[in-house]
Amino acid sequence: MAEYNFREVEKKWQKVWADQHIYRADNQSGKPKFYALDMFPYPSGAGLHVGHPLGYIASDIVSRYKRLKGFNVLHPIGFDSFGLPAEQYAIQTGQHPAITTEQNIARYKEQLKNIGFSFDWEREVQTHTPVYYRWTQWIFMQLFNSWYNKETDKAEPVESLVALFEAQGNETVQAECDDDTPLFSAGEWNSWSPEEQLKVLLHYRLTFPSEAVVNWCTALGTVLANDEVKDGVSERGGHPVERKKMKQWMMRITAYADRLLKNLQDLDWSEPMKDMQTNWIGKSFGCELQFKVDKSDRVLTAFTTRPDTIYGVTFMVIAPEHEWIDELTTPGQEPVVKEYVNAAVNRSERERQMDVKSVTGVFTGSYAINPFNQEPIPIWVADYVLAGYGTGVVMAVPSSDDRDYRFAKHFELPVRLVIDGTQDMEDPTEKKHGIMINSGILDGMDSKKAVQKAIEHAEKEGFGKAKVNFKMRDAVFSRQRYWGEPVPAYFKDDLPYLIEEKELPLELPAIDQYRPTETGEPPLGRAKDWTYKGYPIELTTMPGWAASSWYFLRYMDPGNDQAFAQKEVVDYWGQVDLYLGGTEHATGHLLYSRFWNMFLFDRGWIGHEEPFKKLINQGMIQGRSNFVYRVVMQDSAGEDNKTVKTPEVFLSKGIVDRIEKSNLTRAEKEIIEKLVNERLGEFNAKNGTDWTIKSIDSAKISPMHVDVSLVNNDVLDTEAFKNWRPELNEAIIIPEADQTYLCGYEIEKMSKSKYNVVNPDDIIDRYGADTLRLYEMFLGPLEQFKPWNTNGIDGVFKFLRKLWHLFHSNEGEFIVTDDAPSPQELKILHKTIKKAQEDIENYSFNTSVSEFMICVNELSALKCHKRGILQDLVVIISPYAPHIAEELWHKLGNTDSITQTTFPEFNASFLVESEHEYPVSVNGKMRAKMSFPLDMPKDDIEKQVLASEAIQKWLDGKSPKKVIVVPKKIVNVVV
RNA sequence: GCGGAUGUGGCGAAAUUGGUAGACGCACUAGACUUAGGAUCUAGCGGAGCGAUCCAUGGGGGUUCGAGUCCCUCCAUCCGCACCA
């Protein structure tokens, strides 16, 4: 029987597509555009596993579909090729990271090309190449040269800020700037030296060097961004992270906090994803209140969202890092405060997070004055107050905040109730809102109104003002690494200057070793002559997110050496219409990209504010690990007698289960023990040992990962298993009664060490790329997390074979006829067209594959080999299985690529039924099925239903109360 | 603790959005063919029962002629955030 030769067919068409540039996207077109983007991969040394292509397959299906629907489609791919693993490999081997990176990219490309994606490879970008990072550096320079004008609500060139300073100083300028920016007049500004002016401007630039507390990871030798730290350890590698003050380049992303938040509303992203970003930005409304410190000139400013509870303030708490601590501490309290502050500061971030429950703190000895009632309130220090949020000062209201409450209880500080109804409550913090009591001017007001009233009062009296706070911090932009973009800046007298634009790219210098220098400087400190005009160049490099924050723009115009992309071209392609990638980038890449895109928009280089119109998060494909069950042999000499050769005995899963549940019958037990001992006897004879198993149910059994490629449907290939590793050559395998050895399984992350990695190349080799594509989609909803299980793949493989046989006889002859399709065949086809179209537009690819299977099954049953049906069928299947579709398309006599045809319109008239089969139910239970013409009036249907014998039986002599007829759905008789 | 999601056969999953629950596929069972195979075809396949029929969508309650779908409540699993004042 002549079978479909997928190997030959797939290779053939992949070559033709590449040779003829079938998927080249044009920057000018009369067609509407569609931009389908995947999150580009980091090319790791392990290569692709079957989980990686999931999103690419989905976006490829959409891309191919959109082409058939007449769109000019941009569907690019590239590589995020700066990164830590290549650098660590370089540190170990001394090999330049570019070499490893490029090898990995070559491997990735080969794997990707095998799957038959319709990528426009001519637009490929690699972020580690100077032609690319030249523009990453260029964007950095523009950020340095910009400030954020709150009045116009956008970024502007620094020149406009300088003009304002020259005219009016900075008191009236509405700009995003550091909190410690000094105030000055126009006269002062104009009297300053250029250096003094530059120093001031650093407070305003969108990127700037700053002495900042950062997440320092000693093991990795670099700082990490907040989103790269999880639970106090590094996201990559899980190394401990500590807080450390270092000179760092920062990005003033906080300037965009409000817009990043506001724009989320209009994005077609999933709600959970928007929630995550909203949460991360963490906007809260409230006010700052000033508390005079008793017997001092100092004024503590506290941020609160609940100024209405001001009369409930019974103490203040400041962060251990607060700069006035020494000043506020009275001599008597000095020893305990010093001790506490030292302990708190030395505790790592991790330790602090580990016990959020325990209450610690000390009294400073000083008092602050509540500005509303002039009451003195004690000032404490506690590490539950974060230096980085708000002002690092909290006005504690133990009656409405549970942390304050726990603190007050622990240190026996007073609790004053300010909300009516909390008097009888065990924990007053459970009632957050109500009528104010014990609250002076706020008494009797609703708490929500009182918030406004309190702010108004504070503003009028001059000791407070309304204030919005964000959780989001400015982003640290420096990494103490080699394998990243050099920062195009140098230092002269401690002031940063940019190198000239014409000097870009500032290429990575060669160095002899890739580790930090002996003096603790970043690896670039090893470079010879790393200077510009004789001044030292910045030694840190950019973080991973720099390159990925704008790559989607570079795809539009990848060869441009005059600009990162030509404005007209960017305006043509505009927003990414569909962006596919994992949820893990919610607070990293997706936020930074929006930030940079917005900045480029503000400055007029691109015409759209938000980069990604629609976002879909594909779920991760997990690994399905298989286990074998090894009997731990014990002899009289002890468990680990290394001098004697130990047999490897493996029990099948079914036996292990029954042993664990003590379900083995005596007879079974004896059979198994006899079998094991027989085999052990053979082993003993050969090796001169004397192993035996006395009692199978007291044997110690340990599960062991076994390579999933040795297992099929959880049945172990025992011969392959014995050849897997030398020590298994003589393995004793105890199977089930039917002689198969069953393995156990567990769902885990795919990883080499668990032997559960499935390589797409192996699947393609055995089943072909089309099968892989179909099967990945068939596996379940795109957005769901799901384990890979090769078991079901036969089904889709059979489907392709059946499709092939609609066109070919068993002998391999092409048997398509020109007979006119029957109404029944047309109905099958058009039903499938409709479903396929709806499914792609709703991104539910799994049900589409099922629909194709049903369609092919039905046509096979009808022995339909008609061109009029099959021609359209291959077109609608082509986005999923492009190779076989292209082959069949050409066999049908077409000479162009199937990509160049159009998606068939479904004809609704083929789908209309003249009769409909109504399920008829009595009291909501289905009792019969009856067919009626579609246009039959409800009354007539009702009469016929009631007259029918089947229903009379159910009515049982009673008369119906009512009869409900829902057109095309159901007839319900209520008794 | 806060926020979000999910829960349907042995397994992956469908369900026209309130209308015949389990489509399609895997696995399994029986049969056919056979050059004996990891091929193909036919039939069966949630549970109970010979059957008519009854019971089943995490548990309990509610709305409705009718609930996997809507409401309330509890439980379980997964994912984010986590002292954010």
Side-chain angles (χ1 to χ4, degrees):
Chain A
M1 190 155 106
E3 284 300 341
Y4 166 50
N5 186 340
F6 59 83
R7 288 192 185 88
E8 201 177 282
V9 167
E10 290 181 354
K11 276 273 151 328
K12 174 169 102 188
W13 291 112
Q14 284 172 10
K15 185 165 188 310
V16 171
W17 296 335
D19 290 350
Q20 299 183 3
H21 307 287
I22 295 288
Y23 304 118
R24 183 187 272 163
D26 213 323
N27 282 349
Q28 283 163 336
S29 167
K31 296 176 182 175
K33 68 95 189 181
F34 190 86
Y35 187 0
L37 180 68
D38 295 292
M39 289 186 185
F40 63 166
Y42 170 76
S44 84
L48 288 175
H49 64 63
V50 286
H52 293 116
L54 181 74
Y56 305 156
I57 294 170
S59 66
D60 197 57
I61 290 169
V62 175
S63 300
R64 288 176 180 273
Y65 169 78
K66 287 287 179 184
R67 285 191 195 96
L68 293 171
K69 279 286 185 183
F71 285 82
N72 183 28
V73 174
L74 176 56
H75 186 40
I77 189 76
F79 298 93
D80 190 11
S81 42
F82 273 131
L84 206 51
E87 175 150 341
Q88 279 179 331
Y89 188 74
I91 291 172
Q92 286 159 22
T93 62
Q95 190 180 49
H96 196 284
I99 296 170
T100 348
T101 301
E102 272 152 29
Q103 281 168 357
N104 292 347
I105 288 177
R107 169 102 183 90
Y108 263 63
K109 280 170 85 161
E110 190 199 332
Q111 286 187 297
L112 288 171
K113 286 186 176 179
N114 282 340
I115 305 174
F117 291 122
S118 63
F119 292 131
D120 180 353
W121 282 101
E122 289 165 56
R123 291 174 184 261
E124 177 191 352
V125 301
Q126 299 179 0
T127 61
H128 75 286
T129 54
V131 287
Y132 182 88
Y133 69 66
R134 166 186 183 173
W135 298 106
T136 312
Q137 292 170 331
W138 182 86
I139 294 171
F140 168 86
M141 290 166 69
Q142 308 318 311
L143 283 154
F144 184 80
N145 284 331
S146 302
W147 65 293
Y148 200 88
N149 186 340
K150 288 203 248 188
E151 216 153 0
T152 55
D153 206 17
K154 61 177 197 171
E156 291 181 12
V158 165
E159 287 74 33
S160 70
L161 182 64
V162 171
L164 285 171
F165 287 169
E166 282 168 357
Q168 58 192 70
N170 73 347
E171 284 182 50
T172 52
V173 171
Q174 294 291 306
E176 285 289 344
C177 61
D178 297 330
D179 292 337
D180 56 352
T181 309
L183 289 178
F184 53 83
S185 66
E188 286 172 296
W189 171 265
N190 292 324
S191 70
W192 287 338
S193 70
E195 285 75 22
E196 283 171 313
Q197 290 179 342
L198 284 176
K199 209 170 161 191
V200 167
L201 284 177
L202 287 180
H203 292 294
Y204 292 86
R205 297 180 188 276
L206 291 183
T207 183
F208 54 98
S210 154
E211 194 74 32
V213 178
V214 295
N215 305 301
W216 170 256
C217 180
T218 312
L220 297 174
T222 190
V223 297
L224 298 170
N226 287 335
D227 62 283
E228 292 172 310
V229 181
K230 295 260 143 79
D231 300 325
V233 297
S234 67
E235 197 180 26
R236 268 176 190 269
H239 305 292
V241 173
E242 54 187 301
R243 309 279 292 165
K244 195 173 171 183
K245 221 169 189 182
M246 290 178 84
K247 187 134 189 164
Q248 300 294 324
W249 283 87
M250 304 292 290
M251 283 275 163
R252 210 180 292 280
I253 188 174
T254 49
Y256 284 88
D258 241 330
R259 273 165 77 188
L260 287 169
L261 188 66
K262 195 181 74 213
N263 286 2
L264 274 178
Q265 281 175 10
D266 306 322
L267 295 179
D268 189 2
W269 294 15
S270 72
E271 286 307 317
M273 184 54 89
K274 290 189 191 179
D275 287 347
M276 269 190 250
Q277 287 210 350
T278 305
N279 226 311
W280 185 263
I281 295 168
K283 182 176 189 173
S284 47
F285 298 90
C287 71
E288 282 185 349
L289 294 174
Q290 295 177 351
F291 293 74
K292 284 206 177 83
V293 178
D294 200 22
K295 300 181 184 120
S296 158
D297 298 335
R298 289 297 193 189
V299 174
L300 284 174
T301 304
F303 174 76
T304 178
T305 54
R306 294 295 305 274
D308 54 316
T309 62
I310 181 74
Y311 290 90
V313 177
T314 52
F315 57 101
M316 304 283 289
V317 192
I318 61 176
E321 292 89 350
H322 200 278
E323 49 177 340
W324 298 345
I325 280 199
D326 291 345
E327 229 177 288
L328 295 173
T329 304
T330 56
Q333 290 300 98
E334 203 181 307
V336 278
V337 171
K338 273 228 153 70
E339 193 190 340
Y340 182 78
V341 169
N342 278 338
V345 172
N346 287 334
R347 270 171 101 198
S348 70
E349 192 77 350
R350 170 147 211 170
E351 284 169 328
R352 275 216 213 176
Q353 284 183 359
M354 292 295 256
D355 65 354
V356 294
K357 288 276 176 314
S358 67
V359 178
T360 62
V362 288
F363 179 42
T364 61
S366 296
Y367 289 81
I369 305 296
N370 183 335
F372 277 68
N373 59 11
Q374 311 310 317
E375 255 181 52
I377 45 182
I379 302 172
W380 285 65
V381 186
D383 69 358
Y384 79 85
V385 176
L386 303 176
Y389 182 76
T391 57
V393 178
V394 169
M395 55 169 243
V397 185
S399 60
S400 72
D401 181 287
D402 55 276
R403 288 154 316 178
D404 297 346
Y405 185 69
R406 280 206 309 269
F407 196 84
K409 284 281 160 203
H410 190 265
F411 292 106
E412 296 176 343
L413 293 160
V415 176
R416 186 178 304 156
L417 302 177
V418 287
I419 293 190
D420 197 20
T422 53
Q423 292 89 336
D424 305 324
M425 292 171 72
E426 202 170 306
D427 179 359
T429 65
E430 276 170 24
K431 185 170 161 70
K432 301 278 184 207
H433 289 280
I435 303 299
M436 307 306 303
I437 53 170
N438 302 328
S439 290
I441 58 164
L442 305 175
D443 263 345
M445 295 179 83
D446 180 78
S447 54
K448 285 176 186 155
K449 281 228 177 71
V451 171
Q452 290 316 311
K453 171 78 183 172
I455 296 175
E456 278 165 31
H457 179 73
E459 283 182 339
K460 199 177 82 199
E461 300 292 325
F463 51 73
K465 60 170 196 267
K467 167 91 180 175
V468 171
N469 242 322
F470 293 93
K471 278 197 237 176
M472 188 169 69
R473 306 269 77 110
D474 280 333
V476 180
F477 197 68
S478 285
R479 296 291 181 273
Q480 284 63 15
R481 293 181 195 156
Y482 175 73
W483 195 227
E485 302 86 347
V487 175
Y490 63 94
F491 287 88
K492 187 165 113 187
D493 299 329
D494 221 27
L495 270 177
Y497 295 84
L498 295 180
I499 67 168
E500 281 178 70
E501 217 174 290
K502 65 170 197 276
E503 304 284 341
L504 290 181
L506 175 65
E507 292 199 34
L508 266 175
I511 56 176
D512 53 356
Q513 274 191 60
Y514 301 96
R515 64 184 90 240
T517 67
E518 281 63 35
T519 54
E521 282 183 327
L524 284 185
R526 296 176 179 275
K528 286 198 191 81
D529 199 26
W530 188 236
T531 56
Y532 183 77
K533 293 180 176 168
Y535 299 102
I537 301 178
E538 171 65 40
L539 295 181
T540 63
T541 53
M542 299 189 196
W545 56 266
S548 59
S549 292
W550 73 281
Y551 74 108
F552 42 90
L553 295 168
R554 186 63 179 174
Y555 282 140
M556 297 174 182
D557 197 7
N560 197 326
D561 61 0
Q562 301 299 308
F564 66 88
Q566 195 191 334
K567 178 87 174 11
E568 290 73 44
V569 175
V570 179
D571 285 347
Y572 172 71
W573 289 112
Q575 280 182 302
V576 173
D577 294 285
L578 173 65
Y579 195 25
L580 258 146
T583 355
E584 65 272 20
H585 300 105
T587 51
H589 163 63
L590 287 168
L591 207 54
Y592 298 129
S593 299
R594 294 181 60 216
F595 161 41
W596 278 30
N597 198 91
M598 244 174 235
F599 165 72
L600 294 171
F601 168 75
D602 283 354
R603 293 293 314 271
W605 290 297
I606 63 175
H608 57 282
E609 192 174 355
E610 282 290 339
F612 315 121
K613 189 154 98 189
K614 179 164 184 73
L615 176 73
I616 298 234
N617 302 113
Q618 90 270 24
M620 212 200 300
I621 292 196
Q622 295 142 310
R624 188 177 185 282
S625 313
N626 275 114
F627 292 89
V628 291
Y629 299 88
R630 186 167 166 272
V631 179
V632 179
M633 298 303 293
Q634 302 182 338
D635 70 354
S636 46
E639 289 186 27
D640 291 309
N641 190 342
K642 297 272 191 254
T643 57
V644 178
K645 190 164 178 189
T646 314
E648 300 283 338
V649 179
F650 298 95
L651 300 178
S652 182
K653 177 79 162 67
I655 300 170
V656 175
D657 283 351
R658 275 174 292 151
I659 290 173
E660 275 172 8
K661 290 187 206 136
S662 312
N663 267 349
L664 276 186
T665 63
R666 207 188 163 79
E668 281 173 322
K669 197 168 139 357
E670 278 168 13
I671 293 171
I672 292 165
E673 281 164 7
K674 187 163 164 261
L675 187 61
V676 175
N677 283 322
E678 249 174 52
R679 305 288 303 279
L680 280 174
E682 293 163 24
F683 180 91
N684 290 334
K686 208 163 159 189
N687 296 291
T689 51
D690 61 343
W691 297 97
T692 53
I693 290 266
K694 287 178 197 81
S695 161
I696 197 73
D697 33 36
S698 60
K700 198 174 149 202
I701 296 166
S702 78
M704 180 179 112
H705 277 97
V706 60
D707 198 308
V708 289
S709 65
L710 307 176
V711 181
N712 197 342
N713 283 335
D714 291 337
V715 175
L716 183 70
D717 179 340
T718 51
E719 286 313 305
F721 177 68
K722 286 181 182 175
N723 292 324
W724 186 34
R725 289 198 222 144
E727 72 267 25
L728 299 173
N729 287 343
E730 292 180 56
I732 295 171
I733 291 166
I734 309 299
E736 304 289 323
D738 65 357
Q739 298 307 307
T740 60
Y741 184 96
L742 279 181
C743 298
Y745 74 89
E746 242 173 70
I747 307 306
E748 300 175 295
K749 212 172 166 184
M750 270 202 196
S751 103
K752 262 185 177 168
S753 63
K754 297 184 175 112
Y755 302 106
N756 61 0
V757 175
V758 182
N759 187 324
D761 300 347
D762 296 340
I763 303 288
I764 290 170
D765 186 53
R766 198 149 134 194
Y767 298 98
D770 286 337
T771 304
L772 174 74
R773 294 170 60 108
L774 281 163
Y775 187 55
E776 293 227 357
M777 292 300 104
F778 183 72
L779 224 42
L782 182 62
E783 302 184 65
Q784 216 162 74
F785 279 61
K786 56 210 164 237
W788 176 265
N789 184 353
T790 311
N791 289 354
I793 202 167
D794 285 345
V796 284
F797 185 62
K798 279 185 216 165
F799 155 73
L800 287 182
R801 203 150 48 192
K802 278 187 198 166
L803 175 67
W804 184 258
H805 283 292
L806 285 178
F807 294 76
H808 299 87
S809 68
N810 284 349
E811 289 70 42
E813 282 169 82
F814 188 66
I815 53 166
V816 174
T817 68
D818 287 317
D819 301 344
S822 71
Q824 194 186 1
E825 289 160 348
L826 286 166
K827 187 177 164 187
I828 294 167
L829 173 69
H830 285 263
K831 187 182 71 178
T832 309
I833 296 174
K834 180 165 185 276
K835 181 86 168 112
Q837 177 166 329
E838 286 169 357
D839 280 351
I840 292 184
E841 281 166 8
N842 296 321
Y843 308 98
S844 52
F845 307 100
N846 55 330
T847 51
S848 255
V849 179
S850 292
E851 192 64 26
F852 294 148
M853 289 180 177
I854 295 169
C855 177
V856 167
N857 280 344
E858 288 177 348
L859 293 176
S860 295
L862 293 173
K863 301 205 181 335
C864 170
H865 306 292
K866 297 170 182 169
R867 180 184 307 274
I869 298 292
L870 299 182
Q871 173 125 348
D872 283 352
L873 181 62
V874 292
V875 176
I876 62 171
I877 289 177
S878 69
Y880 291 80
H883 308 86
I884 192 173
E886 186 82 273
E887 174 74 9
L888 294 173
W889 176 252
H890 283 262
K891 285 207 165 195
L892 285 165
N894 299 290
T895 50
D896 56 346
S897 168
I898 196 166
T899 310
Q900 286 146 352
T901 187
T902 50
F903 199 84
E905 293 287 332
F906 69 87
N907 184 336
S909 67
F910 292 125
L911 303 176
V912 174
E913 304 177 37
S914 57
E915 282 208 331
H916 184 78
E917 191 173 62
Y918 287 80
V920 180
S921 68
V922 179
N923 283 347
K925 284 254 186 271
M926 213 274 286
R927 304 298 184 191
K929 287 176 189 172
M930 297 171 74
S931 287
F932 302 103
L934 263 184
D935 51 3
M936 188 182 242
K938 279 187 181 182
D939 289 356
D940 292 353
I941 294 178
E942 190 182 319
K943 270 180 216 150
Q944 283 203 25
V945 165
L946 290 177
S948 72
E949 245 178 74
I951 295 309
Q952 282 301 325
K953 180 184 147 200
W954 287 105
L955 285 173
D956 197 23
K958 289 174 239 152
S959 58
K961 267 191 210 148
K962 65 177 153 172
V963 178
I964 300 157
V965 180
V966 186
K968 284 201 76 178
K969 280 179 183 167
I970 199 163
V971 180
N972 193 24
V973 182
V974 184
V975 182

